[in-house]
Amino acid sequence: MSSQARMITVDGNEAAASVAYRLSEVIAIYPITPSSPMGEFADEWAVGHRPNLWGQVPDVTEMQSEGGAAGAIHGALQAGALATTFTASQGLLLMIPNMYKIAGEQTAFTMHVAARTLATHALSIFCDHGDVMACRGTGFAMLCASNVQESHDFAIISHCASLESRVPFMHFFDGFRTSHEVSKIEELDDETLRAMVDEQAIAAHRERALTPDRPKIRGTAQNPDAFFQAREACNLFYDACPAVVKEVMERLCARTGRRYELFDYIGHPHAERVIVMMGSGAEAAAEAVEWITARGEKVGLVKVRLYRPFSAGDFIAALPTSVRSIAVLDRTKEPGALGEPLYLDVVAALRESADAGTLPFAEPRVIGGRYGLSSKEFTPAMVVAVYGELRSQAPKRHFTVGIVDDVTHLSLKYDDELDIEPADVTRCVFFGLGADGTVGANKNSIKIIGEETDNYAQGYFVYDSKKSGAMTISHLRFGPRPIRSTYLIRKANFVACHHFHFLETLDVLEYAQEGAVFLLNAPYGAEHVWDHLPREAQRRIIDRKLRFHVIDASRVAAETGMGRRTNTIMQTCFFAISGVLPREEAIARIKKSIEKTYGRKGAEIVKRNFEAVDKTLENLFEVKVPAEVTSTIEMAAIVPDDAPDFVKKVTALMMAGKGDLLPVSAFPVDGTWPTATTRWEKRNIAIEIPIWDETVCIQCNKCALVCPHAAIRAKVHEPNGHDAPPTFKAVDYKAPDLRGLKYTIQVAPEDCTGCSLCVNICPAKNKSNPREKAINMRPHMEHVDRERENYRYFLDLPEIDRTRLTRLDAKGSQFMLPLFEYSGACAGCGETPYVKLLTQLFGDRLMIANATGCSSIYGGNLPTTPYCVNAEGRGPAWSNSLFEDNAEFGLGMRLAVDQLAEMARVLLGRMASRIGESLAQALLTPPETGEAMFIEQRKRIAELRGKLAQVSSPEARKLEWLADYLSPRSVWLLGGDGWAYDIGYGGLDHVLSTGRNVNILVMDTEVYSNTGGQQSKATPLGAAAKFAAAGKTTQKKDLGLMAMSYGHVYVASIAMGANDNHTVKAFLEAESYPGPSLIIAYSHCIAHGYDMAHGMDQQQRAVDSGIWPLYRYDPRRIESGEPALQLDSKPPKLRVSEYTRNEARFRMVEKIDPERFRKLGEEAQKHTLRRVALYRHMAELALPAAPAAPGAPDPSPQAEPAGAK
Amino acid sequence: MNLNTTWLGFELEHPLVAGASPMVRDLGTVRRLEDAGAAAIIMDSLFEEQLTQEQLATHAALEEPAESFGEALSYLPNVPHFELGPHEYLEQLRKVKQAVGIPVLGSLNGVTPGGWIEYADLIEQAGADALELNVYDLAISTEESSKAIEDRTVELVREVALSLRIPVSVKLSPFYTSLPNVAARLVDAGAKGLVLFNRFYQPDIDLEELEVVRLHLSDSSELPLRLHWLAILSGQVEASLAVTGGVHTGVDAIKAVMTGAHAVQMVSALLRNGPGYLRIVREQMVEWMREHEYESIRQMQGSMNLSRCPDRRAYERANYMKMLQSWRG
């Protein structure tokens, strides 16, 4: 074993990427969870000029999709480069066509995959092998790593074996569980990698490159005479491949001492029951096998490393000859198959070997099971259950483990309480908030423990799917041996709760084992904290004999200028109490790492962190635990009693973090869920909430308009009834249209995220004290009880009759009920105000096709979803297909709706005489327009149904079902710039070209926000983004201009913060336009690097600087002889730099290289002025009107002039 | 015509200096200033408070969303050479220094005692020929005496001057009860020069938005206040004196020199008219001197100060009385 090997603490992604990077010259990438960090590492290293093994900095290029990345890689390989890529899930599927080509051409190439679930009935970012298994037919070799060390080691094995075998390799490991697990591993240094790589194989790869100096053709089309034989010509490479891998594994072992086989056997030498599996679950299984064999049972485990080409001989050789029964565990599901892939391979291998007479033992019984789909926990207890099943007389031939299947009864029972973790492994669980820095501090602690002690360390982090107020749970283990527990900690020696209020809703102490340490951040001293604990927590502390420590970390953080960042304070407490390092040493190390982490980002940050560390210990106290439970505080109910049954039975359990307990029967079979469930999840995450000062208010409704979470609302209503809560406020409504009514602005105190966008946009200042506005942020704690009552009353007040809203401008729109509320979007999100507005305007007739991304996550991530319904039960119908196909998906909805509506019209025409000609006529051509049309048409539809009920004919039944389609549907295609500008652009372009009536809302954050801010073609010149760290050098694509070139597309560029009336106008016009419409909406985003409270101000600056012009291109205007384009923003009055300097994405470039910033800024300035000038010309250009214009209704007549703000 | 002057130990061809302004952010402008004949260039101020604020704001904007959501553990690239600190300022100072042959002065506006010293040292290391300390210790509390504020300023200047090898000049506000006393104490503490005055305390109010708005460019009407105090300090303190604020013409500059300025800093006039305007002001000075038969700047330097001017009372209280009386009359 190499004694000099450096120990490093990294996650699986970094471990794999560090090898891939050093072995590559061309890296083509595209972001997708959970593999994105591999690409990001590569990009960061390239930006830092880190060389590969041969002294060259690899070319890291982001493509427009995984399909694009695969194409680029294919080309790079053909031209002789060493290339790699990283991907997962649907991204991998998009690479499949190229993978067939790359393999068919016997190309040396290795890709690295963080295996992830494929979207089926739902999307999941978590792990299973569905994606990699879908590639079995491509001809790629598949090598599976099961832990972080292996993801490092197997990376080099793959690269070497591919070069030497000419079979392309897919090296994969489990997404999140391995890709995101932080672990202490032995590093492969450059010298080792160099020794591993066969330079001659590289030379041979270069030799095969296409070159005009020795021209050849590759990629021909072949006919029946040739294709089949030529396809069979590859066989020898696959036959030879396993031996090549074996040899490379030997080589690695010789250098590092780490021995791997194609199939590794672990367990009793005479095992009778054997599990066969691959991936991280095999680590948990190995742990269980050791524990079981130590108890005298003869069990074993075969870890599959090289899954393709599947070497049956090596597999059988790996099995103990004593084997009697085998359970093959697959982390994937193939509905309708005889069994999952690994199971079938094992069955076939044994069968063939038996047939050939080479099986050295009697053919064992084989059963197959599924486990761990979408990162479902896989624990030693489940492994024990599988061995138990193998022992039974009639085991289930096909089973599942880890869930309760009460429908098809395939699941195995297991002992959930079984805990086999060795006592010398310290286990710590930390509950934190994303914003407080808990995860970062814990990653840091692992590094400290890993580097400063002989301990091995492991960290795994469970994140929330909410983007605001997100909870994180960190699982840390450390101990004397490499840690293989690839499952969450169940019984911890140390439990830290970084926010007191978690105790009120979560059973945090469930994780504490007897005698554990409990560290609590609480706003109460050691004397009083006990009295504030819920009964359940007190009970746990007493029963489990916990050692209870408390610190008011929030106060220490506030006093030391750390804001909400309690991370270093809690980290210091952890080291002080846990004793893993001597206190002084631990503190010195914490400070050293603070310096390392924050040194560059500012001396002030370091100083404040140091001060926080120094103040920690004097504020940390042990609590004397009383002998009795004294509290009368009960843990809060997850959902109130009036919640729907499904919410109480299913959603509430998921909200409580107990979704694992739900059986199969609890779930819809097809992924269809009820909407309107966020209202049952009262998260209370704001520290401050806006409180209305009705005496200052000018009733503009801007606060309600910009609220990303529909947590501040406006209503005009009849004067308060007697039942109004005493503090409910209402004033006379000032505008003439609804005179006599009352007006109220009301906060939803438990749903507000405290972003302050509303306060910042509020134009009304208190004349005596201009620091105060018409709404002001006030402490949540002080106001929540009162406002909860007020909000309840407010919601019960009847909504305004929509036909009475004569002015449909920004203000008027806010009297309409939002049908999108309390989503999990970031506090201060720049996208959701547009989505909310869309639902206010058209929600009761809205069908949404939503591209994957932020909007599909805050729009559709369980447990609760934000689209909701009005009093009549109508609301948006929403679906997400994929990332790349959303335009096509939405078009499909339109086609279906049009067909069904046409069927209804035809039937209605046919039955007109039976249901009454005048009703039929009115239904076919409603005399009203606008809101009134929908209201009247729905009445007519009800009347129609009434009449149809009296008709007994198949046609009548059909029309009954179709009748609703006589009321028009508004089909909207939603997504971000990653979709519209990049991966989905081809489809979007095509859909625009069809002329069909779809409305496309692009919420342009100018980066891939959901995956962490990678550049897209919407990223502006000069901005730093991932994969453009030094500042993007090319202009943002002008998507609007491209769409205008069709001539028949309605296009608008909007920015709510700059001109809200213009935004509303664009929505109304787009919807009324009978062809395709495209709205590009400026959406500020946390990826821009500034406080989102100022998001709307930045929108204003973007427009004022000309970098984001406001316009509307309406093809209807051409027919009336007017210029189609209306440039709605004024000529630029700010320099672009006055906009860019406020955002870290641009400032970063300035800080790194001021001269470059200046040059890019000048370019941006120049381009901005040119672009505005071009639009101005276009806005003056009236085209000749066609002699006969196709009929198109006029824009909504009640809309405000767009210029008005 | 001999326009030579000595300021902070530098032998300058003439007294016109480009004062602290954003002009130095662009190397092209810097070169044009030198081409226009600027005798020295002063960097814009490094604001410690601004650096701190930016660090805190950026830290919050970048760190708080990080490590919260499984799909995005961060939202901006992790670039090793992205530093939030004075780096960018110092780098620009180095570049300006390389770009021109005339003296380049750093300018610093600190907040904390540690910050003043730390950044002053860094500015010196980056190659500044001298350092202008832009002090503004605003009296806003009823609890704090003028002495306490003055002591703090004097101590700060002493510590910075002690830690630097390059000369230190102090840019003051006019709001001291006894400016001569403060000036003398600053010089005693090690200041080699004084600059009259910074223009911080002149807020305007936006009545529509109910907001305090920032400073506008100066004009010649701001000069008399400076002339007044130059005249009083000139000859009384052993330090180089410079004027800043209100010099827009050659005549303005001559007035400043006559009241005792060794250097004349120009900002607003150059921002308004471009760097080349400095040459025009210089020509105007030469023209005026030729017309009035002056041979050199040194000849007129301080000629109209308190100790030498024909009517000393004009700078004292009598000046005020006289003005009021003449107005009534």
Side-chain angles (χ1 to χ4, degrees):
Chain A
M1 182 166 171
S2 152
S3 55
Q4 285 87 26
R6 193 166 73 114
M7 301 306 287
I8 52 173
T9 310
V10 293
D11 65 17
N13 274 330
E14 185 173 356
S18 96
V19 172
Y21 181 88
R22 285 180 283 168
L23 269 290
S24 298
E25 291 144 356
V26 172
I27 303 176
I29 44 180
Y30 189 76
I32 184 165
T33 307
S35 68
S36 309
M38 287 191 274
E40 288 166 19
F41 279 121
D43 184 53
E44 279 165 24
W45 295 330
V47 169
H49 306 293
R50 185 167 151 184
N52 64 13
L53 271 194
W54 302 279
Q56 195 157 334
V57 177
D59 194 326
V60 181
T61 302
E62 186 196 16
M63 296 303 295
Q64 89 287 8
S65 71
E66 290 87 352
I73 288 295
H74 187 195
L77 294 166
Q78 290 304 313
L82 299 174
T84 192
T85 189
F86 315 106
T87 194
S89 195
Q90 318 293 137
L92 181 58
L93 296 199
L94 289 181
M95 292 191 176
I96 286 177
N98 263 291
M99 290 170 71
Y100 274 95
K101 296 287 293 180
I102 291 167
E105 292 158 350
Q106 297 307 140
T107 319
F109 162 63
T110 297
M111 68 194 302
H112 303 267
V113 174
R116 165 180 160 182
T117 305
L118 292 173
T120 49
H121 63 288
L123 170 148
S124 168
I125 60 170
F126 295 101
C127 168
D128 60 45
H129 298 161
D131 54 356
V132 294
M133 285 302 186
C135 300
R136 278 175 295 141
T138 59
F140 266 57
M142 295 164 67
L143 189 65
C144 179
S146 53
N147 58 39
V148 178
Q149 180 74 59
E150 288 176 14
S151 71
H152 199 47
D153 292 344
F154 287 14
I156 185 63
I157 291 170
S158 302
H159 279 267
C160 292
S162 181
L163 281 164
E164 292 166 40
S165 67
R166 287 191 64 185
V167 174
F169 268 62
M170 175 203 294
H171 163 226
F172 70 98
F173 44 88
D174 287 353
F176 283 107
R177 187 64 250 180
T178 304
S179 70
H180 282 57
E181 176 181 307
V182 178
S183 184
K184 179 175 170 178
I185 66 166
E186 275 187 41
E187 186 185 34
L188 294 168
D189 58 19
D190 287 1
E191 202 186 324
T192 303
L193 296 189
R194 215 168 272 124
M196 289 290 296
V197 175
D198 180 351
E199 290 289 341
Q200 282 184 341
I202 294 175
H205 174 70
R206 309 269 196 229
E207 258 326 290
R208 295 190 291 269
L210 294 176
T211 163
D213 297 325
R214 295 178 301 282
K216 290 200 174 61
I217 183 169
R218 202 175 286 147
T220 56
Q222 297 180 354
N223 299 326
D225 60 337
F227 187 96
F228 194 172
Q229 309 90 297
R231 190 77 187 96
E232 293 299 318
C234 69
N235 294 352
L236 292 177
F237 290 93
Y238 289 88
D239 292 347
C241 184
V244 172
V245 177
K246 246 199 272 195
E247 196 279 320
V248 175
M249 285 174 161
E250 282 293 329
R251 227 185 294 159
L252 183 76
C253 179
R255 277 206 72 93
T256 67
R258 288 189 294 283
R259 174 168 297 285
Y260 302 108
E261 305 285 349
L262 303 186
F263 300 89
D264 269 311
Y265 178 77
I266 292 162
H268 198 283
H270 306 298
E272 293 172 355
R273 288 167 288 148
V274 173
I275 288 177
V276 178
M277 64 186 303
M278 60 183 160
S280 64
E283 296 290 286
E287 219 178 47
V289 165
E290 281 173 15
W291 184 81
I292 300 167
T293 50
R295 276 152 191 76
E297 293 191 44
K298 293 178 180 172
V299 299
L301 166 75
V302 172
K303 285 188 188 178
V304 178
R305 302 345 193 123
L306 184 69
Y307 174 58
R308 285 285 182 276
F310 194 96
S311 173
D314 285 289
F315 168 68
I316 284 159
L319 288 166
T321 50
S322 48
V323 64
R324 295 290 167 267
S325 59
I326 294 175
V328 185
L329 297 183
D330 272 278
R331 198 166 198 160
T332 187
K333 177 171 175 68
E334 289 195 14
L338 273 178
E340 271 61 38
L342 183 58
Y343 164 82
L344 293 179
D345 288 324
V346 167
V347 169
L350 291 168
R351 182 74 250 154
E352 284 192 3
S353 182
D355 282 351
T358 54
L359 195 61
F361 42 78
E363 199 173 340
R365 176 158 63 189
V366 185
I367 62 174
R370 289 181 294 277
Y371 73 102
L373 296 198
S374 178
S375 289
K376 179 68 75 190
E377 278 285 274
F378 182 68
T379 63
M382 297 172 196
V383 178
V384 169
V386 173
Y387 284 119
E389 189 67 13
L390 280 177
R391 195 168 38 200
S392 80
Q393 283 302 310
K396 292 178 173 169
R397 185 160 288 277
H398 298 287
F399 63 89
T400 56
V401 64
I403 56 170
V404 177
D405 175 1
D406 56 344
V407 177
T408 48
H409 307 287
L410 292 174
S411 58
L412 303 185
K413 285 200 173 67
Y414 62 94
D415 175 8
D416 200 29
E417 289 301 306
L418 181 66
D419 174 29
I420 66 160
E421 287 207 58
D424 57 359
V425 173
T426 306
R427 300 179 294 276
C428 316
V429 177
F430 302 79
F431 290 80
L433 277 179
D436 69 17
T438 297
V439 171
N442 284 329
K443 285 188 173 172
N444 199 270
S445 296
I446 295 169
K447 270 197 195 290
I448 292 175
I449 294 166
E451 287 164 18
E452 295 298 304
T453 72
D454 291 333
N455 281 310
Y456 284 85
Q458 175 209 55
Y460 187 74
F461 307 93
V462 177
Y463 300 98
D464 211 323
S465 49
K466 298 277 193 289
K467 289 165 186 259
S468 53
M471 190 175 74
T472 61
I473 310 176
S474 309
H475 296 255
L476 264 60
R477 288 183 175 96
F478 50 93
R481 295 171 304 280
I483 291 163
R484 295 183 315 205
S485 309
T486 47
Y487 47 89
L488 301 176
I489 292 168
R490 302 287 297 275
K491 292 182 179 163
N493 319 83
F494 186 98
V495 174
C497 180
H498 291 192
H499 292 274
F500 186 81
H501 71 264
F502 290 160
L503 287 178
E504 294 158 1
T505 49
L506 278 175
D507 189 2
V508 166
L509 292 172
E510 188 188 6
Y511 288 84
Q513 68 173 32
E514 191 170 315
V517 171
F518 173 43
L519 169 65
L520 178 66
N521 171 22
Y524 315 104
E527 306 289 309
H528 304 293
V529 66
W530 182 258
D531 297 331
H532 292 273
L533 298 177
R535 287 183 67 80
E536 292 86 341
Q538 288 189 345
R539 165 71 53 213
R540 292 263 196 224
I541 291 170
I542 294 168
D543 288 356
R544 298 192 177 179
K545 301 181 180 61
L546 304 186
R547 284 164 48 217
F548 179 18
H549 297 256
V550 69
I551 181 169
D552 187 350
S554 305
R555 183 175 51 78
V556 176
E559 285 172 2
T560 51
M562 296 281 293
R564 283 195 285 174
R565 306 287 284 180
T566 50
N567 52 355
T568 41
I569 299 163
M570 298 307 285
Q571 186 186 16
T572 306
C573 291
F574 164 67
F575 276 106
I577 305 170
S578 67
V580 53
L581 277 176
R583 266 189 192 198
E584 292 309 311
E585 196 185 326
I587 287 173
R589 270 303 313 227
I590 292 171
K591 287 190 170 174
K592 207 166 128 191
S593 67
I594 288 170
E595 198 136 25
K596 200 173 156 195
T597 314
Y598 302 123
R600 286 184 291 109
K601 290 169 188 160
E604 188 64 25
I605 311 291
V606 172
K607 200 182 94 193
R608 292 183 183 203
N609 270 292
F610 277 16
E611 210 183 320
V613 169
D614 291 338
K615 286 223 165 140
T616 295
L617 295 184
E618 63 200 61
N619 285 288
L620 174 64
F621 305 102
E622 181 153 7
V623 179
K624 201 162 172 297
V625 176
E628 298 292 331
V629 170
T630 53
S631 177
T632 53
I633 305 164
E634 300 290 340
M635 277 173 73
I638 300 294
V639 295
D641 254 4
D642 55 340
D645 210 36
F646 184 84
V647 169
K648 278 196 272 195
K649 284 190 179 145
V650 178
T651 309
L653 246 72
M654 294 163 77
M655 283 160 62
K658 307 222 179 266
D660 285 331
L661 301 177
L662 288 167
V664 171
S665 65
F667 291 89
V669 296
D670 57 358
T672 312
W673 288 68
T675 62
T677 43
T678 46
R679 63 182 55 176
W680 305 112
E681 190 171 23
K682 296 298 174 198
R683 302 203 299 138
N684 288 298
I685 59 174
I687 295 164
E688 291 186 321
I689 55 174
I691 299 297
W692 186 41
D693 182 345
E694 73 283 11
T695 61
V696 177
C697 184
I698 58 168
Q699 305 187 354
C700 68
N701 286 355
K702 284 182 192 289
C703 51
L705 179 74
V706 302
C707 177
H709 293 84
I712 185 161
R713 301 187 181 194
K715 200 177 258 188
V716 278
H717 53 89
E718 297 295 335
N720 294 355
H722 297 300
D723 54 343
T727 57
F728 183 79
K729 294 175 190 170
V731 292
D732 289 341
Y733 182 57
K734 286 177 185 164
D737 50 352
L738 298 167
R739 200 175 292 286
L741 293 180
K742 292 285 178 184
Y743 174 86
T744 297
I745 291 284
Q746 177 62 49
V747 66
E750 299 185 292
D751 305 297
C752 171
T753 64
C755 74
S756 332
L757 266 183
C758 54
V759 173
N760 278 342
I761 200 84
C762 177
K765 286 183 184 168
N766 183 324
K767 290 193 167 56
S768 306
N769 179 8
R771 201 173 280 180
E772 300 275 292
K773 293 181 156 192
I775 36 169
N776 301 289
M777 297 306 281
R778 299 285 183 252
H780 177 268
M781 294 253 283
E782 288 172 24
H783 290 82
V784 62
D785 290 338
R786 201 160 46 230
E787 295 303 331
R788 187 191 297 116
E789 289 312 305
N790 289 338
Y791 187 53
R792 200 170 290 157
Y793 179 77
F794 175 92
L795 286 178
D796 286 342
L797 290 172
E799 296 297 321
I800 186 83
D801 174 357
R802 290 165 70 107
T803 58
R804 291 183 68 188
L805 296 170
T806 49
R807 287 162 64 92
L808 210 42
D809 53 5
K811 177 179 172 176
S813 70
Q814 293 314 299
F815 293 130
M816 296 175 148
L817 180 69
L819 298 178
F820 175 80
E821 58 185 14
Y822 330 132
S823 76
C826 298
C829 175
E831 295 189 357
T832 47
Y834 296 112
V835 179
K836 188 188 58 170
L837 175 64
L838 176 68
T839 68
Q840 287 173 301
L841 295 173
F842 320 117
D844 62 352
R845 65 206 82 143
L846 189 57
M847 294 189 69
I848 297 177
N850 206 130
T852 307
C854 277
S855 53
S856 73
I857 297 301
Y858 61 63
N861 206 119
L862 295 181
T864 61
T865 56
Y867 289 96
C868 54
V869 294
N870 64 14
E872 292 86 50
R874 289 196 175 83
W878 182 96
S879 187
N880 158 249
S881 174
L882 298 169
F883 192 12
E884 61 272 22
D885 75 338
N886 189 53
E888 301 91 316
F889 183 55
L891 177 72
M893 288 185 179
R894 175 85 264 168
L895 300 178
V897 166
D898 286 354
Q899 274 293 309
L900 295 171
E902 185 55 25
M903 281 164 68
R905 278 195 297 274
V906 169
L907 279 174
L908 184 62
R910 262 191 238 152
M911 298 183 68
S913 58
R914 300 179 69 180
I915 56 161
E917 292 288 350
S918 63
L919 176 61
Q921 195 51 43
L923 278 163
L924 288 170
T925 48
E928 313 83 2
T929 57
E931 283 296 327
M933 187 275 282
F934 285 96
I935 291 168
E936 295 307 317
Q937 187 78 341
R938 284 175 189 144
K939 283 185 197 158
R940 284 189 286 264
I941 291 168
E943 193 185 341
L944 169 69
R945 283 222 167 87
K947 299 206 169 176
L948 288 171
Q950 293 155 30
V951 183
S952 64
S953 77
E955 273 192 336
R957 298 291 76 75
K958 203 171 168 188
L959 184 53
E960 250 175 359
W961 186 83
L962 287 168
D964 284 334
Y965 288 88
L966 294 166
S967 178
R969 265 70 169 128
S970 187
V971 177
W972 285 74
L973 289 45
L974 269 55
D977 48 288
W979 161 61
Y981 285 69
D982 285 1
I983 195 167
Y985 176 69
L988 182 128
D989 175 58
H990 187 85
V991 168
L992 292 178
S993 81
T994 63
R996 299 302 287 252
N997 185 11
V998 293
N999 306 292
I1000 302 170
L1001 174 62
V1002 179
M1003 291 169 284
D1004 191 349
T1005 61
E1006 309 194 314
V1007 279
Y1008 290 81
S1009 297
N1010 193 52
T1011 48
Q1014 294 84 3
Q1015 72 160 336
S1016 75
K1017 284 196 282 296
T1019 304
L1021 179 96
K1026 289 177 183 167
F1027 305 148
K1032 186 159 171 269
T1033 52
T1034 53
Q1035 295 295 345
K1036 179 186 179 89
K1037 168 160 116 177
D1038 196 339
L1039 183 65
L1041 190 62
M1042 293 164 93
M1044 284 180 225
S1045 73
Y1046 276 114
H1048 66 256
V1049 180
Y1050 176 90
V1051 189
S1053 166
I1054 62 172
M1056 179 182 281
N1059 189 336
D1060 45 17
N1061 282 331
H1062 179 260
T1063 293
V1064 174
K1065 173 94 172 162
F1067 271 86
L1068 293 171
E1069 287 182 354
E1071 214 270 341
S1072 73
Y1073 182 66
S1077 304
L1078 172 69
I1079 297 180
I1080 307 170
Y1082 184 105
S1083 305
H1084 56 252
C1085 176
I1086 52 168
H1088 298 172
Y1090 66 96
D1091 183 352
M1092 287 297 94
H1094 305 295
M1096 295 297 170
D1097 306 334
Q1098 269 304 88
Q1099 295 200 14
Q1100 182 76 61
R1101 279 189 204 98
V1103 171
D1104 285 348
S1105 69
I1107 203 166
W1108 191 276
L1110 304 181
Y1111 62 76
R1112 288 164 300 136
Y1113 180 96
D1114 191 337
R1116 286 171 291 204
R1117 288 166 53 90
I1118 300 174
E1119 305 309 331
S1120 53
E1122 294 172 291
L1125 182 69
Q1126 291 166 278
L1127 185 54
D1128 299 314
S1129 47
K1130 298 194 176 84
K1133 62 179 182 190
L1134 295 181
R1135 288 189 59 76
V1136 169
S1137 59
E1138 289 176 81
Y1139 157 71
T1140 57
R1141 278 229 168 80
N1142 291 322
E1143 302 188 1
R1145 59 176 170 153
F1146 296 102
R1147 269 293 279 160
M1148 237 173 163
V1149 180
E1150 187 172 25
K1151 280 287 184 185
I1152 295 165
D1153 186 348
E1155 199 62 18
R1156 181 181 163 84
F1157 172 80
R1158 198 178 55 76
K1159 281 191 183 133
L1160 293 173
E1162 277 169 14
E1163 272 298 301
Q1165 183 67 54
K1166 213 160 52 186
H1167 177 79
T1168 296
L1169 295 179
R1170 284 177 188 161
R1171 184 162 170 243
V1172 171
L1174 172 68
Y1175 285 169
R1176 186 160 303 123
H1177 275 295
M1178 289 172 65
E1180 288 161 5
L1181 193 65
L1183 296 169
D1194 285 328
S1196 186
Q1198 67 268 55
E1200 275 288 278
K1205 195 197 153 191
Chain B
M1 193 68 65
N2 181 357
L3 300 187
N4 289 2
T5 182
T6 307
W7 177 57
L8 298 174
F10 303 115
E11 292 300 328
L12 307 183
E13 270 187 41
H14 60 81
L16 298 177
V17 167
S21 84
M23 286 186 286
V24 292
R25 289 186 200 151
D26 177 53
L27 287 181
T29 309
V30 167
R31 289 196 186 93
R32 282 199 291 282
L33 282 169
E34 188 183 35
D35 293 346
I41 288 179
I42 304 166
M43 296 290 292
D44 55 344
S45 270
L46 175 70
F47 282 86
E48 183 190 0
E49 196 173 11
Q50 208 169 314
L51 286 180
T52 307
Q53 284 303 327
E54 181 171 42
Q55 285 173 20
L56 296 175
T58 309
H59 182 255
L62 266 50
E63 298 295 326
E64 285 194 7
E67 302 282 5
S68 304
F69 178 65
E71 301 208 59
L73 301 186
S74 66
Y75 288 89
L76 276 160
N78 178 21
V79 187
H81 35 284
F82 171 43
E83 291 182 24
L84 279 174
H87 158 86
E88 177 190 12
Y89 179 89
L90 301 171
E91 194 52 41
Q92 189 63 9
L93 170 58
R94 273 185 210 104
K95 286 183 181 163
V96 171
K97 185 70 192 135
Q98 275 168 14
V100 295
I102 49 179
V104 175
L105 283 77
S107 173
L108 174 61
N109 189 322
V111 183
T112 60
W116 281 104
I117 308 236
E118 183 192 338
Y119 294 123
D121 283 343
L122 289 170
I123 289 173
E124 181 179 59
Q125 284 161 27
D129 295 299
L131 177 62
E132 189 170 281
L133 298 179
N134 194 357
V135 297
Y136 71 113
D137 204 343
L138 191 56
I140 49 168
S141 163
T142 55
E143 302 294 311
E144 200 170 34
S145 72
S146 53
K147 181 169 185 307
I149 294 176
E150 289 169 14
D151 287 353
R152 199 159 50 221
T153 305
V154 169
E155 275 322 297
L156 153 77
V157 171
R158 189 187 312 283
E159 282 181 39
V160 173
L162 265 177
S163 79
L164 299 192
R165 285 188 302 274
I166 54 174
V168 170
S169 171
V170 183
K171 190 167 172 178
L172 291 167
S173 82
F175 307 115
Y176 290 95
T177 303
S178 172
L179 186 66
N181 176 262
V182 172
R185 290 183 66 196
L186 291 172
V187 173
D188 183 57
K192 298 284 181 236
L194 301 171
V195 185
L196 312 183
F197 292 113
N198 63 38
R199 303 177 59 245
F200 288 140
Y201 311 121
Q202 300 170 54
D204 198 357
I205 307 290
D206 179 332
L207 291 179
E208 296 304 318
E209 297 295 326
L210 295 182
E211 280 171 1
V212 177
V213 295
R214 55 181 175 167
L215 213 57
H216 49 76
L217 295 179
S218 80
D219 57 44
S220 294
S221 70
E222 292 181 28
L223 188 61
L225 176 74
R226 279 129 180 111
L227 298 180
H228 175 86
W229 287 109
L230 276 171
I232 288 170
L233 295 184
S234 170
Q236 288 209 71
V237 291
E238 289 294 313
S240 291
L241 295 179
V243 64
T244 180
V247 176
H248 286 253
T249 65
V251 170
D252 289 345
I254 300 268
K255 286 178 185 171
V257 171
M258 283 191 175
T259 47
H262 301 92
V264 173
Q265 298 187 4
M266 294 179 65
V267 175
S268 294
L270 301 182
L271 287 173
R272 196 172 282 138
N273 303 309
Y277 185 66
L278 193 134
R279 186 192 310 283
I280 295 173
V281 173
R282 181 182 170 178
E283 282 162 7
Q284 289 169 347
M285 286 176 78
V286 170
E287 185 58 31
W288 189 92
M289 287 166 73
R290 189 175 295 128
E291 275 177 21
H292 296 79
E293 299 179 347
Y294 276 83
E295 288 165 6
S296 73
I297 283 286
R298 290 192 210 278
Q299 190 186 359
M300 66 169 76
Q301 216 152 33
S303 60
M304 287 297 287
N305 73 13
L306 183 67
S307 58
R308 287 196 250 163
C309 76
D311 181 3
R312 178 189 166 92
R313 284 174 308 163
Y315 287 120
E316 297 169 354
R317 184 175 164 74
N319 189 12
Y320 171 70
M321 297 302 294
K322 193 173 141 191
M323 276 170 63
L324 288 179
Q325 281 155 13
S326 65
W327 182 74
R328 278 183 198 136

